Each structure stands twice: as C-alpha cells, then as structure tokens.
Amino acid sequence: MTQTASIFLSLSIALLFGLLLSRLAKLVKLPAVTAYLVAGVLVGPFVLGALDVPGVGITSDQIEGFGIISDLALGFIAFSMGNEFRLAQLKKIGKHATVIGILQAVITTVLVDAALIGLHFAMPETLSLSSAIVLGSIATATAPAATLMVIKQYKAKGTVTEVLLPVVAIDDAVGLVVFAVSFGVARSLNSSGVNPLAIVFEPLIEIVLSLGLGFVMGLLFTFCEKFFHSRSKRMAVSVTFVMLTVAISSLKFEVGGIHIGFSSLLACMMLGTVFCNICEVSEELMERADRWTTPVLILFFVISGAELDLSVFADWTVVVVGLVYILARSIGKYFGANGSARLTKADPNVIKYLGITLLPQAGVALGMATKAIELGPEGEIVRNITLFAVLIYEIVGPFLTKIALSKAGDIKAEGKRSAREEHLAKKAGQGGE
C-alpha cells in the first residue's frame, strides 16, 4: 500500500469512527465532540495505531503530518468566533466580556500558581519552581474549538452564549501575554542570559501584528467578495482567505534578538470580525463556510483525541500534580468568572453558569506546553501535566458545557426533525399527491 493510500485510509477510518461514536453519544446525551475525542483515542497510537497495520488507525508518525488539518480547523474556528464581535452586539455585552475575560484569566493564573508553588515546596524533586510558574500561565487558556462545537451542535442561544464566545477569545489573548511573561521568568530562574526586552515585547508584538494581519485580510476579503456572485465561488473565496491568513500566520523571524511571530487564532478571529462588520452579506457566507468545514472539524477533534498521550498515566507524580492543577484551575475559572460577572452586574445566568463553560482546554494550552519544552527537563514535566489535564478536560469539559448551557436556558429541548427525517417526510408527501 502506498503512503498516500495509507494516509487516506487512516483519515477515512478516523472520520467514520467519529461519526459512528457520535450516534452512540447522542443516545446517552453526550456532546458529539466528546465522541470524536474518544474515537481519536481508539484509532490513535495506543489502540488501533499500536497494531502498526498500514491504513488501520493513526500511528505516532502520522500525527505530526496531520498538523495541517488541525491548523486549518483552528483557523476556521477562530474565523467563526469573529462573527460574535459584531458592533451591535459588542455595545450590549462588550464591557461584561472584556472585564470577565481578563479578570477570570488572571485569577486562575494566581490560584494555580499558588497551589503548584505550594506543591513545589512539598515535592521539590517532582515539581520545580519554574515548572509551577509556567503551568499557572497555561491554566488561562480555554479551548474555543470544543466550546464552539457544543454551541453549534445544540444551537445554543441566550445570555450565557452571547458572553461566552467573546470571553473565550479575550481569554486566549490574555493567556498569550501571561504565558510569555511567566515563561520569561521561568527561563530567568534557569539561566542568566535572558533578554528582558524579549519578555516584555514579544507577546505584545505578537498580539498587535496578529490583529493587524487579520484586519488587513478582512478588508481584502470584503473587497474580493464583491467580484463573485455565485454561492459556490463566494464560499470558495471565504475558504481561500482563511487558508491564506493561517499560512501567513505561520511565518516567524527574529529582529534584534526579539522573536517575531503571529497567532493564527487572533489573526483569523480579527479576519472574521472585520468581515462580519463591513460586508452586507457576511451572515450568509459565514453560514456556508460552517457547512463546508464540518468534516474538517470532525477530523480535527478525532486527531486531537489521537494526540492525547495515555502514557502520562504511568507516572504517579504526573497524576498527582495534574489533579492539583485541574482542581485549582477549575476553581479559578468558576469563581473567577463568577466574581468578575458579579462585578459587572451581569445577568444572573452568566454569574451562575459561565465559569463551568470555560473549563475545556486543548489547542492553545498544548501550543504553550510545546513552547515550554525549551526549558529542558522542567519543560517536559510541564508538557506531560498539560497532556494529562487536556485528556481529562476535553472528555469531561464539553459535557459540563452542555449541562451549564442547558441549565441557563440557552439550549432548548430538541423538537425539530433531523434533515433526513424532513427529506423523507417531504418525499412521502409528494408520493401521496
């Protein structure tokens, strides 16, 4: 079997597993995203992939090559989130989202730092001070992908959902800054050759450049869209600009000892924000792009499940530190969101349920953990603990998000027929005429 055939067979099996498990998940009232992640574990390197049969399961070697699918999916997820920043909506919830997004992230970092630094003094050989500080900053990150998938699956709409997506976006922007500063402090603890200018300016430059790139691409997208009139070509333009923004965001270079880079999440989010605010037909195009990306998003979650490293359970120290991290982060997210929502006099449902919806953690956190490997042995511990936490959060988090949105009244009881049922009903009606 050729390598190309093996890759396509692995991806098709992964997609089929995800779809089949989503049907089982519906029977037990679990979100589809949880099923996709579990499917990824089953087809991944620790189950089917371990058989080392070409085309059956996803092997460790293949996962790295599938990174292009994950990058593209995250780009479309961020693009969709940009649709939540329409000016009319921001005037209504902008203050709440900004204050909550910043405060809950900072509170979570402080709480996780305190818990892990305390653990460091209790277990100095297991957890270093630099590792504890970096993990505290990683705790800020929330997974926009899982959250958005739950919202779309259940067509969630209401006061909590309106605040949730902007908060997640702001949360990740704050997380980039907090991580960069914490990472710089951790490196300074291990080495004296740290550039203080890089610690201060690198995260700020990344945020400014990413938002600037997204702004320019949004203007170009709106300009180019006017030259195409058919639905298929206009949808193709949407896909083109998201892919182009993701591609440019991957560029990295160095100036005067300062590393210059972009965040594809922030750039694509700004792309969607600019487009939805200045294009008259943006809602239609956003909806069409969502339909096109559904298989890509399913593959993204299945691949994410395959990336989860089950070997972290073999080290009891990782499990202990991971459980402390999960507990401290969960408390920080819930009470951070609760307290900051009270401060802004937000809706009672936002105060009560928003914190629970901020628990999922994946892509952004894993990206930070990958960067932390530069710390050496301490970075490896950070990566393993993050992997452990992501495994727990990604399986449990979407389910808790669904419960919170249901309790808040944003998810209504299913009363509509499926697309298949509607088609069969229509066909039966035509046959009876």
Side-chain angles (χ1 to χ4, degrees):
M1 183 183 293
T2 65
Q3 185 178 6
T4 301
S6 176
I7 290 172
F8 276 116
L9 184 56
S10 294
L11 287 175
S12 60
I13 289 174
L15 190 57
L16 183 60
F17 257 74
L19 290 169
L20 291 175
L21 276 186
S22 70
R23 300 307 303 164
L24 292 177
K26 187 172 183 179
L27 294 176
V28 294
K29 301 188 183 302
L30 283 175
V33 64
T34 302
Y36 302 147
L37 290 162
V38 173
V41 173
L42 294 177
V43 301
F46 291 91
V47 186
L48 286 180
L51 300 176
D52 202 23
V53 178
V56 178
I58 297 175
T59 64
S60 300
D61 295 334
Q62 287 178 320
I63 286 177
E64 187 175 348
F66 292 157
I68 186 172
I69 297 174
S70 298
D71 291 341
L72 181 62
L74 284 171
F76 277 104
I77 288 164
F79 178 66
S80 296
M81 288 176 67
N83 193 38
E84 304 302 319
F85 286 89
R86 293 181 180 272
L87 289 178
Q89 189 174 351
L90 283 178
K91 289 177 181 178
K92 186 169 65 173
I93 54 94
K95 176 188 173 184
H96 298 308
T98 303
V99 173
I100 295 170
I102 294 173
L103 280 184
Q104 59 82 26
V106 173
I107 290 170
T108 301
T109 297
V110 171
L111 194 60
V112 175
D113 271 341
L116 294 183
I117 290 173
L119 195 62
H120 156 70
F121 288 112
M123 306 167 60
E125 295 182 1
T126 300
L127 185 67
S128 68
L129 184 59
S130 58
S131 298
I133 291 172
V134 172
L135 281 167
S137 63
I138 291 176
T140 60
T142 301
T147 304
L148 189 65
M149 201 73 167
V150 172
I151 290 172
K152 285 184 176 180
Q153 179 185 352
Y154 296 103
K155 298 179 176 63
K157 188 176 182 181
T159 53
V160 178
T161 305
E162 285 179 352
V163 176
L164 173 57
L165 289 177
V167 165
V168 170
I170 293 167
D171 176 271
D172 286 335
V174 174
L176 288 173
V177 177
V178 174
F179 174 77
V181 174
S182 297
F183 184 64
V185 172
R187 282 197 300 181
S188 67
L189 291 172
N190 296 342
S191 171
S192 58
V194 177
N195 184 352
L197 288 177
I199 295 174
V200 175
F201 288 109
E202 280 185 8
L204 296 177
I205 291 173
E206 179 174 327
I207 290 173
V208 171
L209 287 181
S210 300
L211 295 177
L213 171 63
F215 182 80
V216 172
M217 297 302 288
L219 294 178
L220 289 174
F221 180 16
T222 305
F223 176 74
C224 291
E225 180 274 331
K226 297 176 183 177
F227 294 99
F228 302 93
H229 303 287
S230 71
R231 292 174 178 175
S232 58
K233 287 183 179 178
R234 286 162 64 228
M235 184 184 73
V237 174
S238 304
V239 175
T240 298
F241 272 89
V242 173
M243 292 176 67
L244 186 58
T245 305
V246 171
I248 297 174
S249 297
S250 66
L251 298 176
K252 298 182 186 300
F253 45 94
E254 187 175 332
V255 178
I258 296 178
H259 295 86
I260 308 296
F262 300 89
S263 164
S264 62
L265 278 176
L266 290 178
C268 289
M269 184 185 69
M270 179 57 82
L271 167 70
T273 300
V274 172
F275 178 65
C276 76
N277 278 291
I278 63 177
C279 179
E280 296 177 352
V281 293
S282 61
E283 276 194 72
E284 180 212 344
L285 285 178
M286 287 279 194
E287 185 179 341
R288 292 189 176 280
D290 283 345
R291 293 176 182 175
W292 182 88
T293 57
T294 297
V296 178
L297 294 180
I298 294 174
L299 272 177
F300 165 71
F301 283 108
V302 175
I303 292 170
S304 296
E307 288 176 330
L308 297 176
D309 190 351
L310 301 185
S311 65
V312 296
F313 287 109
D315 187 344
W316 71 269
T317 57
V318 170
V319 174
V320 171
V321 178
L323 289 174
V324 172
Y325 170 89
I326 289 171
L327 181 61
R329 179 180 180 271
S330 300
I331 293 172
K333 285 290 180 183
Y334 180 78
F335 287 102
N338 183 286
S340 51
R342 288 179 186 277
L343 187 66
T344 60
K345 294 182 173 58
D347 184 274
N349 279 335
V350 174
I351 295 172
K352 192 173 182 180
Y353 298 110
L354 180 65
I356 299 173
T357 66
L358 297 175
L359 294 182
Q361 188 175 47
V364 178
L366 290 174
M368 293 175 178
T370 301
K371 175 73 174 175
I373 292 177
E374 295 177 15
L375 292 173
E378 288 94 342
E380 198 63 42
I381 292 170
V382 169
R383 178 181 175 276
N384 288 338
I385 292 169
T386 304
L387 283 170
F388 174 82
V390 165
L391 178 63
I392 303 300
Y393 274 127
E394 281 298 271
I395 292 176
V396 177
F399 178 60
L400 294 177
T401 298
K402 179 204 168 187
I403 292 176
L405 292 177
S406 297
K407 294 281 188 183
D410 286 21
I411 294 178
K412 311 298 182 187
E414 292 185 39
K416 294 182 178 180
R417 291 183 294 187
S418 68
R420 186 173 186 276
E421 289 171 336
E422 287 181 357
H423 176 74
L424 290 174
K426 183 178 180 183
K427 189 175 180 181
Q430 290 174 344
E433 291 177 359

